[in-house]
Amino acid sequence: MYSEFVLAGLVCLLAFRSATASMSDVANDRKWGVLALYILQGGSVVGYVLSIVLFGALVFIAQFALLFACSLLIFPESAPDMWRVLTLLGVGVLFVAGWCGFGAALGGKVDSYATRDFVVTVTSLPVVFTAPLFYPIQGNWLAVLAGFNPLTYQVGVLRQMSSLGILCAGLWVVLGVVTAVMLLRKTEYLSRER
């Protein structure tokens, strides 16, 4: 059913957007000295990354609630059951945590608005359009590109919901958060951008 197909795609899109938001947050925190002040006041990089993930998850939950309400208005006859909604939400939060980690790691390396805008522009559209979020991608050149796109696998997990898929979502979180912590520990807490 198309309503379930597109709902899973939109959940993945919302999760992916948390990467760009986290990248901007971390880059701005470095620019304005927020991260440096946090560390000077005794905060840890792990705590900082977890705060980025928590905020991203809360934003995602609010967006998910609006998305679900809109889906009930548009597709009232094919509303998913509550168990399906809760699993979409739970696994979506895992994807958000991983994307926040990767976005935070990138934000620790980006030192200018121009670079940030360039990275967002160059990655967002290709990543979104080469994943089967809104339409199936089969047997054409996009299918080759989709094979390299993490969103392809994430939307597959949401549509099929297996134990292995949920385990992979958990590994995605660990990989994203550990990457962020490792890179932010090695970055300058105050960027040179002014």
Side-chain angles (χ1 to χ4, degrees), residues 3 24 38 40 67 76 78 95 122 154 191:
S3 61
S24 294
Y38 175 77
L40 285 173
L67 176 65
S78 59
F95 291 149
V122 167
Q154 291 177 354
S191 74

Coordinates of all heavy atoms in Angstrom, one line a residue, residues 3 24 38 40 67 76 78 95 122 154 191:
S3 N 0.5 4.3 1.0 CA 0.5 5.1 2.2 C 1.6 4.6 3.2 O 2.4 5.4 3.8 CB -0.8 5.1 2.9 OG -1.2 3.8 3.3
S24 N 25.1 21.9 11.6 CA 25.0 23.3 11.8 C 25.1 23.7 13.3 O 25.7 24.7 13.6 CB 23.6 23.8 11.2 OG 23.6 23.7 9.8
Y38 N 31.3 25.2 27.4 CA 30.8 24.0 28.0 C 31.9 23.1 28.5 O 31.9 22.6 29.6 CB 30.0 23.3 26.9 CG 29.5 21.9 27.4 CD1 28.4 21.8 28.3 CD2 30.1 20.7 27.0 CE1 27.9 20.6 28.7 CE2 29.6 19.5 27.4 CZ 28.6 19.4 28.3 OH 28.1 18.2 28.7
L40 N 35.0 24.2 29.2 CA 35.7 24.9 30.3 C 34.9 24.8 31.6 O 35.5 24.8 32.7 CB 35.9 26.3 29.9 CG 37.0 26.7 28.9 CD1 37.0 28.1 28.5 CD2 38.4 26.3 29.5
L67 N 3.6 14.3 11.3 CA 3.6 13.4 10.1 C 2.5 12.4 10.2 O 1.7 12.2 9.3 CB 4.9 12.8 9.9 CG 5.0 11.8 8.7 CD1 4.8 12.5 7.4 CD2 6.4 11.1 8.7
P76 N -7.0 8.1 5.6 CA -7.7 7.6 6.8 C -8.1 6.1 6.7 O -8.1 5.4 7.7 CB -8.9 8.5 6.9 CG -9.2 9.0 5.5 CD -7.8 9.1 4.9
S78 N -6.3 3.7 5.4 CA -5.2 2.8 5.5 C -4.2 3.2 6.6 O -3.0 3.1 6.4 CB -4.4 2.8 4.1 OG -4.0 4.1 3.8
F95 N 17.7 5.8 14.0 CA 18.3 6.4 12.8 C 18.7 7.9 13.1 O 19.8 8.4 12.6 CB 17.4 6.3 11.6 CG 17.3 4.9 11.1 CD1 16.1 4.5 10.5 CD2 18.2 4.0 11.2 CE1 15.9 3.3 10.0 CE2 18.1 2.7 10.8 CZ 16.9 2.3 10.1
V122 N 25.4 19.7 -1.7 CA 26.0 18.7 -2.4 C 25.5 17.3 -2.0 O 25.3 16.4 -2.8 CB 27.5 18.7 -2.4 CG1 28.1 17.5 -3.0 CG2 28.0 20.0 -3.2
Q154 N 18.1 2.0 5.3 CA 17.3 2.4 6.4 C 15.8 2.3 6.1 O 15.0 1.8 6.9 CB 17.7 3.8 6.9 CG 19.0 3.8 7.5 CD 19.5 5.2 7.9 OE1 18.9 6.2 7.6 NE2 20.6 5.3 8.6
S191 N 36.1 27.6 16.8 CA 36.6 27.7 15.4 C 37.1 29.1 15.1 O 36.9 30.0 15.8 CB 35.4 27.3 14.5 OG 34.5 28.4 14.4

